[in-house]
Amino acid sequence: MKKLICVILALTIPLSILAGCGNKAKVSAYNTKKEVAVLESGIVAENDNLSLKWEQESNNFSLTCKDSGKVWTNYPEDSQADDSEFNTLSIRVQDTRTVKERTLESSKATRIASEKIDNGLKITYYFDSVKIAVPVCYTLRDDSLLISVTGKDILLGDSRYQIIACLPSPMLCRVSNKADNSYLFAPYGLGGIVDNKCNSDEVRKFSATISNMASMETESSVNGGDSTGFRCFGVKDNKNALFCIAESTPGAVGTNITAGDLMKTYSVAFPTFFFADYDYFYGKSVKDSLIKQVSDKYEGTVSMGVYPLSGENADYNGMAKCYRNYLTKAGYIKENKEQKNNSPYSVTYLGGVLTTSSILGIPTKTVKTLTTFEQTVEYTKDLYDKTGILPTVRLSGFGKSGINIGKIAGGYTFSSKLGSDKSRQELEKYISDNKGELYTDFGVLAFNKSGNGFSYGSNYARTAVKHAAEISPVNIPLRDFNKSLKYRLLSRSKISKAVDKLIDLANKKDISGISFNDLGSCVYSDYSDEDKYGVTANMDKDTANNIKNVSKNGNIVAASSATYFAAGLLDSIFEAPVEPSGRYAYETEVPFYQLVFHGVTPMYSSAVNTVASPEYNIMLAASCGTGIGFTLIDKFDTSYMETGSEKLYAMKYSDCTKLITSTVEKYSKMYKNVENSKILRYDILDNDISKTTFENGTVIYANHSSIKQKSPIGEIDGYDFIMNGGETK
């Protein structure tokens, strides 16, 4: 089945003429003359690590880290700062009459109320011009400050204005543009390090919005704008750092970075809390432009944890450790996971591909064979014989529609054109007998045909204007993005049913491992059931529960490009990000994904046999201890190109054997030393050399340039790596 990369997933709709669509804002009583209480200055919450102090005169608060003495404030105390840098809350509002959006900052608030709450502070901003009041809660915890806004507490006093989002404390996570040894961290690409200094280049300003925005487009690269799927950001200010993690309804938290603005005093990283989904349509006249439609206000809570870091933890390495600890506490990393010996490489066999054939002059889509079950057995045995190491194996595209999207889970069956089920069972037995792992790949979210209890005409997710939620797929093994193809997303309430049916199939067919090519990497909203699944609510928890249910059935489970709420619960990860995005705004990129999950879940890169420079990608994988991925077929035919699958030509088994054997021979020695060890530090040295230090003491130096370079332990050839002085343990 055609695979999707859906970390930032656009829900698109056919742009058709809609009349009378849209939702009415629910209006509450709003008193423009109401007097508000203001809390007196003083410490409002304190523990052994942190203290939270309120300043009445300035409507400002400060968070003090007792360990380092560093004080983080809601806005700067520097009198030279730009007026906009004293903003403590912004709201984005749509005028439903003019269908235009406007932004109001805290300076436009008529009144600002403050009050003490349990272990914290609540600040409420009243914007009389639009009759909207937004309460923001700041709750002190043992190691962090929780910033939260609850939708049902946002007061809308005029049906004309609908709130889209609010931006609380946009200046809290900041660093001076003149500060040395400082930077901002963005979770885009692999993990972007953004220089805070001003220079002659343009301002480095970019953002990742939430996954349900109908106006967005899925990235064409495997490692697109947000390949990690992390909802976090941070800033390093010399010997201190602040790291922010989206917690409640994390898919509704957008992240923003602005750095190096000559007109500003500070570079900042800040959140956007979304409380509505977008959709677009044309007006009644063909002359009308696109109109943005906003859903009803989300009633749940959106929050972000703010974690002060100091000392050796005050950098991106400490941020990764903080994130891993948070995910463990939140239940998204399985504690006490069994340590196992993993294969240093994975092989994905592609079964079939849909092509157009002419039957009696009528074009008909049929599955053509790429690889049969019998050939997967033959090739797996051959690889074991040649390398002495059994690969982790994945079968992909062996359903009714091959690697293309069709019915949910490929119709919950195997295509008879791809060989006998007896051969598949032979492969299962061979891998089991040799203590390996075999995964069969399924997609349970995107579909274009009815079947197996799922109706294409009714069981689909709906956007803000109740249109079918559609996507354009990214085919990960082929690194292909096709905007012309559109598929519907399964209704959120039906996902558990789709997974349960897959568990039944696994029991019936003796499938040992299940791999998801969309679940675990995909986030989207659904208005089929009012606003229960608005702003992507509960996608993380629901997906985690579905993965746990597969594990409870006794199956091993994997996913492609798994994001934060799935990666730590899996037995393997395929298509783990290793390639930098190359954005101009980054000073460099670091493998934040591996900094969080290496030593937690075994992971494999995308197919190195399909890239222009395999040695470069192999070096990148080695630099962060990631297993090597290969994708293989038996034969290639030019007719496959109609599906945008021309890169299949690089996957012929007979052409890839030499690359696989030579890679495994060299790579396995390094991999076995680090496979179950967490990464302590990843450092960028001079001459494009990276140094990765693992928990067990192993150190890997990698040369990211194409020419020979000197490292602290000797010379390294271009796109090569060495370990512990170049000698293997």
Side-chain angles (χ1 to χ4, degrees):
M1 176 179 178
K2 204 160 192 180
K3 296 171 179 61
L4 313 172
I5 182 167
C6 310
V7 171
I8 300 185
L9 178 65
L11 301 190
T12 58
I13 63 168
L15 300 178
S16 56
I17 297 175
L18 299 180
C21 66
N23 302 311
K24 296 285 186 178
K26 297 177 182 177
V27 180
S28 303
Y30 186 98
N31 185 353
T32 58
K33 298 181 180 181
K34 179 182 178 181
E35 294 186 2
V36 297
V38 179
L39 189 66
E40 293 185 358
S41 299
I43 293 176
V44 294
E46 187 173 20
N47 56 43
D48 291 341
N49 301 311
L50 304 168
S51 68
L52 181 64
K53 184 179 180 180
W54 169 251
E55 296 288 346
Q56 180 187 40
E57 184 177 349
S58 60
N59 287 324
N60 190 17
F61 71 78
S62 61
L63 176 67
T64 301
C65 179
K66 294 183 178 180
D67 179 46
S68 65
K70 171 68 175 178
V71 179
W72 301 90
T73 59
N74 202 27
Y75 69 69
E77 297 174 353
D78 186 347
S79 60
Q80 300 301 313
D82 182 86
D83 288 346
S84 64
E85 294 177 289
F86 292 92
N87 176 36
T88 57
L89 175 80
S90 295
I91 63 172
R92 289 170 51 188
V93 177
Q94 186 187 57
D95 184 329
T96 59
R97 292 184 188 174
T98 63
V99 203
K100 292 183 178 180
E101 184 178 322
R102 57 190 290 198
T103 298
L104 292 85
E105 296 184 348
S106 58
S107 59
K108 299 297 182 181
T110 311
R111 288 147 291 152
I112 300 178
S114 54
E115 61 182 286
K116 178 79 171 62
I117 59 174
D118 288 344
N119 213 33
L121 166 75
K122 180 164 76 171
I123 307 174
T124 303
Y125 298 81
Y126 293 85
F127 298 88
D128 284 353
S129 62
V130 291
K131 294 185 178 180
I132 292 177
V134 179
V136 186
C137 293
Y138 298 87
T139 306
L140 197 68
R141 304 183 296 194
D142 183 58
D143 60 350
S144 57
L145 177 70
L146 183 71
I147 303 176
S148 61
V149 179
T150 300
K152 65 181 177 61
D153 295 334
I154 297 175
L155 190 64
L156 303 181
D158 188 337
S159 61
R160 177 174 177 174
Y161 299 103
Q162 171 65 299
I163 190 164
I164 295 172
C166 65
L167 289 71
S169 298
M171 291 298 296
L172 179 62
C173 190
R174 70 182 184 277
V175 62
S176 169
N177 289 341
K178 298 179 180 180
D180 295 323
N181 191 31
S182 303
Y183 55 76
L184 296 97
F185 169 77
Y188 320 139
L190 294 179
I193 305 303
V194 184
D195 189 4
N196 61 300
K197 296 292 184 66
C198 297
N199 53 46
S200 58
D201 295 334
E202 59 185 294
V203 179
R204 299 175 295 283
K205 185 175 183 179
F206 47 95
S207 63
T209 187
I210 55 176
S211 356
N212 53 326
M213 306 303 279
S215 60
M216 290 183 59
E217 292 180 343
T218 308
E219 296 281 350
S220 60
S221 169
V222 171
N223 296 304
D226 194 8
S227 64
T228 62
F230 292 151
R231 315 311 281 177
C232 61
F233 56 85
V235 61
K236 174 178 172 59
D237 186 358
N238 200 354
K239 295 181 180 180
N240 295 279
L242 204 62
F243 185 53
C244 303
I245 302 173
E247 297 190 8
S248 296
T249 323
V253 179
T255 56
N256 311 271
I257 301 288
T258 301
D261 188 343
L262 289 167
M263 304 302 293
K264 306 290 184 182
T265 307
Y266 297 92
S267 293
V268 295
F270 56 96
T272 302
F273 288 5
F274 286 90
F275 287 91
D277 284 314
Y278 289 175
D279 216 337
Y280 287 84
F281 61 91
Y282 283 114
K284 296 180 180 180
S285 167
V286 293
K287 295 182 180 180
D288 289 347
S289 60
L290 278 173
I291 298 173
K292 179 192 294 183
Q293 179 63 49
V294 180
S295 68
D296 275 344
K297 171 169 60 74
Y298 173 61
E299 296 291 289
T301 298
V302 181
S303 70
M304 180 183 71
V306 179
Y307 295 78
L309 305 174
S310 59
E312 63 180 12
N313 288 321
D315 63 3
Y316 57 80
N317 292 293
M319 294 177 191
K321 180 181 177 182
C322 179
Y323 203 18
R324 184 170 61 238
N325 291 339
Y326 164 74
L327 293 173
T328 301
K329 291 178 183 178
Y332 294 119
I333 289 180
K334 188 189 302 181
E335 295 191 78
N336 303 316
K337 291 183 75 173
E338 180 184 356
Q339 298 292 301
K340 57 183 180 178
N341 293 323
N342 309 297
S343 178
Y345 72 115
S346 72
V347 168
T348 296
Y349 296 111
L350 302 185
V353 61
L354 279 178
T355 61
T356 303
S357 300
S358 179
I359 301 177
L360 299 177
I362 300 174
T364 304
K365 288 284 186 181
T366 58
V367 172
K368 284 193 174 181
T369 302
L370 299 172
T371 318
T372 66
F373 285 122
E374 288 79 6
Q375 287 160 345
T376 65
V377 176
E378 176 189 348
Y379 296 155
T380 302
K381 289 181 178 179
D382 187 48
L383 288 173
Y384 196 8
D385 290 341
K386 283 182 167 64
T387 65
I389 300 174
L390 186 69
T392 293
V393 177
R394 178 173 57 159
L395 303 178
S396 183
F398 282 79
K400 286 289 188 181
S401 53
I403 63 173
N404 301 80
I405 292 175
K407 297 178 182 179
I408 294 290
Y412 292 93
T413 189
F414 297 111
S415 174
S416 59
K417 294 183 178 181
L418 303 180
S420 69
D421 197 56
K422 180 180 178 181
S423 295
R424 182 191 61 81
Q425 291 174 349
E426 181 184 348
L427 181 64
E428 287 272 10
K429 185 178 186 306
Y430 178 77
I431 291 178
S432 176
D433 289 347
N434 288 282
K435 297 180 173 51
E437 292 185 340
L438 171 64
Y439 296 92
T440 306
D441 203 40
F442 298 94
V444 295
L445 300 182
F447 67 122
N448 67 357
K449 291 183 180 180
S450 299
N452 304 98
F454 302 102
S455 170
Y456 182 76
S458 60
N459 294 146
Y460 53 82
R462 288 169 170 79
T463 65
V465 295
K466 303 300 176 71
H467 259 243
E470 295 182 332
I471 61 168
S472 295
V474 171
N475 190 312
I476 293 174
L478 307 179
R479 298 163 179 256
D480 174 67
F481 176 58
N482 192 336
K483 293 183 180 181
S484 66
L485 297 175
K486 301 292 182 184
Y487 299 96
R488 290 186 175 179
L489 287 165
L490 185 64
S491 171
R492 288 274 305 275
S493 63
K494 299 290 183 181
I495 296 175
S496 292
K497 178 184 175 182
V499 174
D500 288 343
K501 290 177 71 66
L502 198 53
I503 292 172
D504 291 341
L505 176 68
N507 292 334
K508 180 181 177 182
K509 293 287 188 179
D510 293 324
I511 297 172
S512 59
I514 291 175
S515 173
F516 293 104
N517 60 44
D518 47 19
L519 188 71
S521 62
C522 206
V523 177
Y524 60 97
S525 299
D526 180 11
Y527 285 85
S528 301
D529 190 8
E530 298 301 325
D531 64 348
K532 182 179 180 180
Y533 301 114
V535 293
T536 76
N538 295 316
M539 191 80 191
D540 50 352
K541 295 177 182 178
D542 291 347
T543 300
N545 287 333
N546 280 315
I547 290 172
K548 291 174 183 177
N549 287 338
V550 177
S551 295
K552 288 177 183 177
N553 188 59
N555 301 98
I556 52 174
V557 58
S560 296
S561 304
T563 190
Y564 68 92
F565 51 79
L569 302 173
L570 300 169
D571 296 289
S572 288
I573 298 170
F574 296 100
E575 282 87 33
V578 297
E579 297 173 75
S581 67
R583 287 195 178 194
Y584 79 93
Y586 301 151
E587 183 178 4
T588 188
E589 290 184 56
V590 297
F592 197 74
Y593 194 90
Q594 284 78 5
L595 283 169
V596 175
F597 290 115
H598 193 277
V600 174
T601 305
M603 59 187 78
Y604 299 97
S605 70
S606 296
V608 298
N609 55 304
T610 65
V611 299
S613 177
E615 64 273 16
Y616 173 68
N617 285 60
I618 291 168
M619 176 277 299
L620 290 173
S623 71
C624 53
T626 300
I628 300 297
F630 299 92
T631 301
L632 304 173
I633 62 174
D634 172 63
K635 62 181 179 180
F636 172 77
D637 187 278
T638 54
S639 65
Y640 304 159
M641 295 176 66
E642 72 169 81
T643 64
S645 305
E646 58 271 16
K647 289 189 178 179
L648 287 167
Y649 75 88
M651 298 179 182
K652 286 184 63 177
Y653 179 77
S654 58
D655 296 337
C656 298
T657 308
K658 184 177 180 180
L659 174 64
I660 296 173
T661 54
S662 62
T663 299
V664 172
E665 180 181 5
K666 177 180 180 179
Y667 202 82
S668 59
K669 299 174 184 178
M670 177 278 296
Y671 184 81
K672 287 300 178 184
N673 280 305
V674 303
E675 59 177 324
N676 289 316
S677 183
K678 294 182 177 66
I679 298 175
L680 288 182
R681 293 195 61 82
Y682 179 90
D683 296 295
I684 308 296
L685 309 181
D686 294 332
N687 302 331
D688 291 317
I689 300 293
S690 65
K691 175 185 176 183
T692 310
T693 306
F694 293 83
E695 205 170 43
N696 64 3
T698 303
V699 178
I700 295 175
Y701 292 90
N703 181 359
H704 294 247
S705 75
S706 60
I707 60 176
K708 184 178 292 186
Q709 299 282 10
K710 290 183 179 180
S711 79
I713 58 173
E715 289 188 333
I716 309 176
D717 290 335
Y719 298 151
D720 204 355
F721 59 92
I722 55 177
M723 177 183 67
N724 290 345
E727 295 180 1
T728 304
K729 290 182 178 179

